[in-house]
Amino acid sequence: MSESKSVSFNKEFWVFLWSSILIALSACLGTVIDAVIVGNLIDEDSVSAINISRTMIQFMFTLNMLLATGAGMLVGMQLGKQDMQRASYIFTVSMAACLVAGLVISFFGLFFPDESTRLLCNNEQFFEPTKEYLRVMMIGAPAYMLMWGIDTMVSVDGSPKLVSVSIFIDNAVHLVLDVVFIKYLGWGIASSSTATVIGHLVGIAIMLIHFYSVKNNLRLTFRGERLEVRGERMAATLRNIISQGAPLAIASICLTLLLFSSNRIVLSTLGRAGIFAFSLCMYLLQIYNLFLGGVCRTIQSFGSIQVGKGDDEAFRLVQRKSFNFITVAMLVTCVVVWVWPESIALLFGADEGDLVSEANAALRAFAVSFIPFCYIYTIMIVYKLYGYDQIALFISFALSLTVIPVLWIVSKAAPGILWYSFLIAYIIEALAILALHKKYKVKFELKN
């Protein structure tokens, strides 16, 4: 790679990476902001209610990965091949699918709020605040789905800076409205999810600017190659999108199941202090997800463009820079948590000794546990883009499903080390991936 090309490549990589990190804010920081504010302005039980509701956030994020993230990789490949019409068609099918999925969730939020809440929460102490927060979130599902979907496409299409601006404003609006609704208007926990939805709507409006700019290569079109096979073409395109996003979506589905199971196991084993501590750990995971999500989106979008070009050297460089960045970010975060765990508990409004003590132990254990999780998740995407679908699918299932039995066994046999269940499970997964890597004689080379 020539020096001038290298400089341009590095600049483009960092633009994609930092923009992707900000994109991750829209998927994870919202619940963290909500939890910090309601923990201080309402009570600690509201923090737990938001964490219980996160299962629905994870479910919607799963649908987004299935319908938009996979499509983003396909769009990137087509843009790399300069096939703008095909890229636009994939974009259109993806956005239509995201909107329909969001409307279905809205229907259940409007007409079946109690039943939806019962699926996530069987504890009467947390039922009402969970329902209040969850119902607004579900009604606003189209805003979540479109926000995450459009930001993926706009970033792949060459406007990651616009995405960064939209997400910054999205979260600023969300933060301001959170405080206004709760502190000054006294609207309660439901107003927190309302603020999130409004912020996403503002973010979507800003990103739509891209489709009127000279940089835009994508447009809404359902026009197939032949009118008589339009329906068949759309179905085939949707299948291709789902296939591409399947490993990521399966990993997210399993994480949804993990959150659901973990909440119940922890609550039954360690009670109120335990579920509060676990909630803080899940919010800590959102901080890791800022870096993990940024790196993964960079590999998916910027990396997929290099795959579409067939540029093996450039794709390897994307991987190397991504892994170097996430390593530094994770280590710094881990050190901060180990040194100041109590500060995190206090940030979320904890003022009882047993809550703070349990939170300190849990946060330190999870700070280490999330490091192998981030590596395993990132390598799954690399396997997928290199065409090793079987290993990618195995990782997507194993990431969370290995944790559930380990967590259950430890809760029964040695509850004193319950918080290290995740680390034990991730070590087992890493050894299994290494065995599969050798079994399939993997070579990380682009296939013609």
Side-chain angles (χ1 to χ4, degrees), residues 71-87:
M73 288 189 277
L74 293 175
V75 167
M77 292 177 187
Q78 298 306 316
L79 292 176
K81 296 175 183 178
Q82 299 296 306
D83 189 344
M84 306 309 176
Q85 180 174 342
R86 179 62 179 160

Side-chain angles (χ1 to χ4, degrees), residues 99-131:
L99 179 59
V100 170
L103 290 173
V104 171
I105 295 172
S106 291
F107 174 82
F108 284 95
L110 277 168
F111 299 106
F112 302 98
D114 286 352
E115 294 82 355
S116 300
T117 305
R118 288 286 178 201
L119 290 174
L120 305 183
C121 181
N122 62 350
N123 185 293
E124 292 302 322
Q125 180 178 359
F126 300 114
F127 182 83
E128 283 302 322
T130 300
K131 185 179 84 169

Side-chain angles (χ1 to χ4, degrees), residues 163-405:
V163 174
S164 302
V165 171
S166 71
I167 289 174
F168 177 82
I169 296 175
D170 172 346
N171 283 279
V173 169
H174 173 195
L175 176 60
V176 171
L177 291 181
D178 247 353
V179 175
V180 171
F181 289 164
I182 296 175
K183 184 174 182 178
Y184 296 104
L185 299 181
W187 286 357
I189 192 173
S191 63
S192 191
S193 46
T194 302
T196 305
V197 172
I198 294 173
H200 286 345
L201 291 173
V202 172
I204 290 170
I206 293 171
M207 283 191 291
L208 291 178
I209 295 171
H210 169 78
F211 299 101
Y212 297 93
S213 70
V214 294
K215 289 184 178 181
N216 176 39
N217 293 305
L218 301 176
R219 59 188 178 88
L220 291 173
T221 175
F222 282 108
R223 187 170 66 86
E225 292 178 349
R226 300 200 315 265
L227 288 178
E228 63 270 21
V229 296
R230 180 180 293 172
E232 179 183 339
R233 178 182 172 87
M234 185 181 299
T237 299
L238 187 57
R239 285 196 299 270
N240 197 16
I241 289 172
I242 291 173
S243 175
Q244 190 71 19
L248 297 174
I250 290 171
S252 189
I253 290 171
C254 293
L255 183 56
T256 304
L257 180 60
L258 174 60
L259 288 172
F260 175 78
S261 303
S262 298
N263 280 329
R264 290 178 174 248
I265 293 173
V266 170
L267 188 57
S268 63
T269 305
L270 299 177
R272 178 171 176 260
I275 195 63
F276 177 77
F278 183 65
S279 298
L280 296 196
C281 293
M282 293 300 98
Y283 297 132
L284 174 63
L285 177 58
Q286 303 311 304
I287 304 303
Y288 280 82
N289 273 342
L290 294 182
F291 308 119
L292 177 62
V295 164
C296 290
R297 281 177 177 267
T298 299
I299 296 175
Q300 291 162 4
S301 55
F302 191 44
S304 65
I305 292 173
Q306 313 312 316
V307 172
K309 294 177 180 178
D311 193 336
D312 191 64
E313 180 186 1
F315 185 45
R316 288 176 183 273
L317 189 56
V318 170
Q319 295 172 59
R320 185 163 62 250
K321 287 179 172 293
S322 297
F323 276 100
N324 288 343
F325 174 83
I326 199 171
T327 298
V328 173
M330 288 189 304
L331 290 177
V332 170
T333 304
C334 185
V335 169
V336 170
V337 173
W338 263 84
V339 175
W340 295 291
E342 187 172 329
S343 299
I344 298 175
L346 295 175
L347 177 66
F348 284 85
D351 56 5
E352 300 176 26
D354 60 332
L355 294 182
V356 174
S357 177
E358 194 68 56
N360 287 351
L363 286 166
R364 282 178 168 155
F366 274 85
V368 177
S369 303
F370 289 148
I371 293 177
F373 169 82
C374 290
Y375 279 132
I376 292 170
Y377 196 98
T378 305
I379 198 68
M380 174 182 66
I381 297 171
V382 174
Y383 277 116
K384 178 63 181 176
L385 286 174
Y386 274 118
Y388 293 99
D389 294 349
Q390 289 177 311
I391 299 180
L393 280 172
F394 169 80
I395 296 173
S396 65
F397 278 108
L399 261 173
S400 297
L401 296 187
T402 307
V403 176
I404 296 173

Side-chain angles (χ1 to χ4, degrees), residues 27 31 53-62 137 144 148:
T31 51
S53 301
R54 279 197 64 248
T55 303
M56 179 55 67
I57 284 276
Q58 191 63 40
F59 174 70
M60 289 191 288
F61 196 54
T62 297
M137 179 198 301
Y144 284 87
W148 296 335

